[in-house]
Structure formats: structure tokens, C-alpha cells
Amino acid sequence: MAGGMDTGQGGKGKKSLDVAINLTAFIDLMAVTISFLIMTAVWTQIGRLQVSQAGGPSTEEEQKVEETKTVQLNLLITPTELRLTADQSAFDPIPLTQDSKGKTDLTKLVARFKELKAQLPDQTAITLQPEDKVRYEILVRIIDECIGAGLPQVSVSAAMG
């Protein structure tokens, strides 16, 4: 017999297999899952920083560097100060101070970047060397200031010293 199942009672107690399935719970689960996946995809795009790993330039980058006047910029970031070096010359250390709202004041760093950009208008790369004790918030703010000052090629490497 179609549509029935033998319950073991000799043919008398057949149950119908035609049962209405409640799809409301399944649809609710799928709606929540899909919305979670969509929001996760958006958050991963928002939270992404364009930072390259420090290392030797590729052959194309070497040719571009020879054509333009640039120097190797390094910014050593310690919990108390910032030390900017351009090739072998070092600038005065910039102390990290707090403003009235408790945020780290980076105005002196921005002014130093403006001076440097006036001297080297073709400069686009900088390497940040944060020490282990530097807060992540400060590192991200410094990366933002570098990009805002016209140094979009930000590399991050381990502090050397």
C-alpha cells in the first residue's frame, strides 16, 4: 500500500507517511544564518588595513625607485617616543604625550611628515617598527596619519633595537 508504513501489527496499524512538516523553524534558522554571513563579509572588508610586509622591493619597484628621489624612511615606535630616520640621518625624537581627552597627541608627527614631504615629494613608502609594548590603537592611528600625509605604502616590521 502506498503512503503507509508497517508498524508490525499484521497489517491493521498502518501509519500514513504524509505528514505536514513545519517549515517555520527551518526558514527562521536560514534567515539568521544568511544575515550573519552577509554581515560578517561586510565586517571583514571594513576592518582591513592595506599594509605590506617589510622586505626587499621587487624588480619593478627597484626601477621606479631609481627614477624618483626617495629615501628609506623608518619610524621606530616605542611606548614613550617616536624616532624617525631617513636613510642614515635621524631626526629628533618625538615624545608621545596625551591630549586633554586622553588620546595620544600626534600633531608633532604630522608636522614632521609635512616637512619631510616638502623635501621629498616623491616619497610614498615608510616602514613602521613598533616595539612589543606599543598599544595597537596607537599603531593604527600612526598608520592612518602616514596615509593622510601622503605615505600610502606603509610596511610594518619588528623593532630593531
Side-chain angles (χ1 to χ4, degrees):
M1 293 180 121
M5 175 178 80
D6 189 5
T7 58
Q9 298 178 1
K12 294 196 267 185
K14 291 194 177 191
K15 265 184 157 179
S16 173
L17 288 179
D18 298 328
V19 178
I21 298 174
N22 185 3
L23 293 177
T24 305
F26 180 72
I27 292 171
D28 289 343
L29 176 67
M30 293 309 293
V32 170
T33 305
I34 290 171
S35 61
F36 175 75
L37 291 173
I38 290 172
M39 287 190 302
T40 303
V42 171
W43 285 333
T44 58
Q45 294 298 320
I46 290 173
R48 185 174 297 168
L49 290 175
Q50 296 297 328
V51 179
S52 62
Q53 179 143 358
S58 66
T59 56
E60 294 175 5
E61 292 174 358
E62 287 176 2
Q63 292 172 353
K64 290 179 185 177
V65 170
E66 292 174 3
E67 296 171 6
T68 60
K69 183 182 176 189
T70 60
V71 295
Q72 177 63 37
L73 278 182
N74 292 319
L75 181 64
L76 178 65
I77 306 168
T78 67
T80 58
E81 66 182 5
L82 304 170
R83 293 186 204 142
L84 184 66
T85 58
D87 280 338
Q88 300 300 324
S89 61
F91 295 94
D92 293 333
I94 302 170
L96 284 178
T97 58
Q98 304 288 326
D99 63 6
S100 61
K101 297 178 183 176
K103 290 181 106 181
T104 303
D105 186 19
L106 298 175
T107 54
K108 293 179 182 177
L109 179 66
V110 172
R112 182 77 45 86
F113 283 154
K114 285 182 182 177
E115 293 173 13
L116 193 65
K117 201 65 177 162
Q119 295 171 2
L120 302 166
D122 295 333
Q123 185 71 35
T124 59
I126 186 168
T127 301
L128 304 181
Q129 298 174 330
E131 288 185 348
D132 292 338
K133 294 183 181 180
V134 173
R135 292 182 46 216
Y136 183 71
E137 172 192 358
I138 295 171
L139 178 61
V140 170
R141 287 191 57 220
I142 291 173
I143 291 172
D144 289 341
E145 294 298 340
C146 290
I147 293 171
L151 300 168
Q153 296 176 358
V154 180
S155 299
V156 179
S157 69
M160 301 291 190

